[in-house]
Amino acid sequence: MKRALSSDDVPSPAREDAMATDFSTLSVYSYRSAVATIFVSPDEAPSRATALLSRLFGPREHGMFSATRSPAGTFLICDTTTTDGLMGAAVPTDEAWRVLYIHEGSEERQGSEISGTLSALCARLADASVAVLNVCTLARNFMLVREAACERALATLRATVEAGQAGGARGGGVAAQPIAAAKIRLRRARLAICSFKLESLPSLSHALLHFFFLEPAATFVHYFEMGGEISIIFEQAMLDRLASSFPSSAEALRHAAAGSLKTDWRVMSVAVCDGYEGVGILNRVCLPLSSLPLMNVSTLDETFLLFADQHASRALKLLEPHFAVEVEE
């Protein structure tokens, strides 16, 4: 039976792992403008295709653009000033989001390699009663919060990072409110993750077109762009199929990704009936897994937790006391 995770359920080892997180090379920044979130259902996708193509391959009028395609549909994040064609009207101010991003400054390690970072930061935001969506790349961690909570969230994250740099970081407690029962599924597919520079985009246009428009709708693919750097997450089987049909396109992607390409990751989809604007939801899901290096991509209705395949068995064991997890065969 699936059940909510209460504060009493969180094991003390997980709390200690979050508390011991090293923030010594992290910095927190605020993105310059508000962003909008847009969900496109599979039925709506054909009518939005031109607008999506213009964001991927047209003039760079946006500073930030994210597209996450899953079986449910496509979830988009973009500047509120560049929503033409994606939405039928302007985004109301009270529906806008702000982006706070946590940058890993060390050249010796990547953000995805640091155990406990995501859970500790989400715990602090839960303590501050801030609801959050989250998007990770290999090097950076982006927290989306509502406009009204931006200053509180920024102060909370900066205080947490500064405490960690001084050797006193603590992961925070778990918000007392119970959350709705979660539906968690460990997907069968292995994922690949990589990043590349914007100037490589023309050579990758065919591969991205294939991933977003020619692959079956049930496949998972995520695209994130900010500041001239692009990160993509996709099912490895997609690259295998591309290499079989269009080897030059697959080779162009591998070349552009160079040493950043990481394979054999798994994704665990987590859905709760109240969506991910609830305070503490991401915290509650991540905290039992704080001993593992994690990445995450959130939509309004689901969050997708990523970890290396070698940690899959451990992740299932850590979640077992708190949630029922379905494993795709």
Side-chain angles (χ1 to χ4, degrees):
M1 177 183 295
K2 301 176 180 66
R3 63 188 181 90
L5 176 61
S6 70
S7 57
D8 292 336
D9 288 330
V10 180
S12 57
R15 288 179 176 169
E16 291 302 317
D17 289 329
M19 290 163 61
T21 300
D22 176 13
F23 294 141
S24 61
T25 54
L26 298 183
S27 301
V28 183
Y29 302 91
S30 177
Y31 181 52
R32 56 185 167 79
S33 63
V35 298
T37 57
I38 306 160
F39 176 74
V40 180
S41 69
D43 291 340
E44 295 174 305
S47 65
R48 307 289 182 93
T50 300
L52 178 57
L53 286 168
S54 71
R55 297 308 183 281
L56 290 173
F57 306 115
R60 258 45 201 175
E61 299 176 353
H62 56 266
M64 174 182 177
F65 180 69
S66 173
T68 304
R69 196 188 74 168
S70 68
T74 302
F75 182 72
L76 307 173
I77 304 171
C78 63
D79 302 70
T80 54
T81 56
T82 61
T83 57
D84 293 348
L86 293 173
M87 294 184 67
V91 179
T93 301
D94 60 354
E95 293 184 12
W97 297 78
R98 303 293 297 197
V99 181
L100 309 177
Y101 62 96
I102 298 93
H103 177 70
E104 171 53 58
S106 172
E107 296 183 358
E108 303 299 321
R109 64 182 185 178
Q110 294 180 312
S112 60
E113 296 172 343
I114 306 172
S115 302
T117 299
L118 183 60
S119 57
L121 295 177
C122 288
R124 281 302 194 190
L125 290 174
D127 287 346
S129 299
V130 176
V132 61
L133 300 180
N134 175 254
V135 178
C136 293
T137 69
L138 288 171
R140 293 183 287 184
N141 191 340
F142 297 84
M143 300 287 191
L144 277 70
V145 299
R146 288 295 189 184
E147 184 86 46
C150 180
E151 292 303 321
R152 185 165 77 256
L154 181 60
T156 298
L157 291 174
R158 285 180 171 166
T160 303
V161 168
E162 289 169 3
Q165 291 170 349
R170 290 294 181 268
V174 180
Q177 301 91 339
I179 62 173
K183 180 179 180 181
I184 304 180
R185 174 179 296 178
L186 177 61
R187 301 192 62 174
R188 178 178 62 252
R190 267 61 174 175
L191 303 183
I193 305 169
C194 63
S195 61
F196 49 89
K197 298 299 183 183
L198 182 60
E199 52 263 31
S200 300
L201 189 59
S203 67
L204 303 178
S205 58
H206 184 268
L208 291 177
L209 284 168
H210 198 277
F211 286 178
F212 272 100
F213 297 100
L214 300 179
E215 283 285 336
T219 52
F220 178 85
V221 57
H222 169 72
Y223 174 100
F224 184 91
E225 177 186 333
M226 177 184 271
E229 184 175 349
I230 295 171
S231 171
I232 56 174
I233 304 170
F234 53 90
E235 296 183 12
Q236 287 174 205
M238 296 166 65
L239 184 57
D240 295 338
R241 289 191 288 268
L242 184 67
S244 176
S245 302
F246 304 99
S248 60
S249 292
E251 181 55 34
L253 191 153
R254 290 192 179 99
H255 177 74
S260 74
L261 182 63
K262 293 183 178 293
T263 58
D264 291 323
W265 281 66
R266 300 288 294 277
V267 61
M268 187 176 284
S269 62
V270 184
V272 293
C273 63
D274 294 334
Y276 277 82
E277 285 198 65
V279 172
I281 293 175
L282 190 58
N283 165 44
R284 302 259 184 128
V285 177
C286 290
L287 194 55
L289 301 175
S290 60
S291 60
L292 304 179
L294 296 175
M295 294 179 63
N296 181 76
V297 175
S298 293
T299 72
L300 288 176
D301 299 308
E302 284 187 278
T303 200
F304 299 92
L305 282 172
L306 288 80
F307 42 81
D309 181 57
Q310 62 181 318
H311 299 313
S313 296
R314 177 66 175 157
L316 290 172
K317 178 174 284 189
L318 289 170
L319 286 174
E320 185 178 7
H322 317 296
F323 299 100
V325 181
E326 178 183 343
V327 180
E328 283 188 353
E329 299 295 338

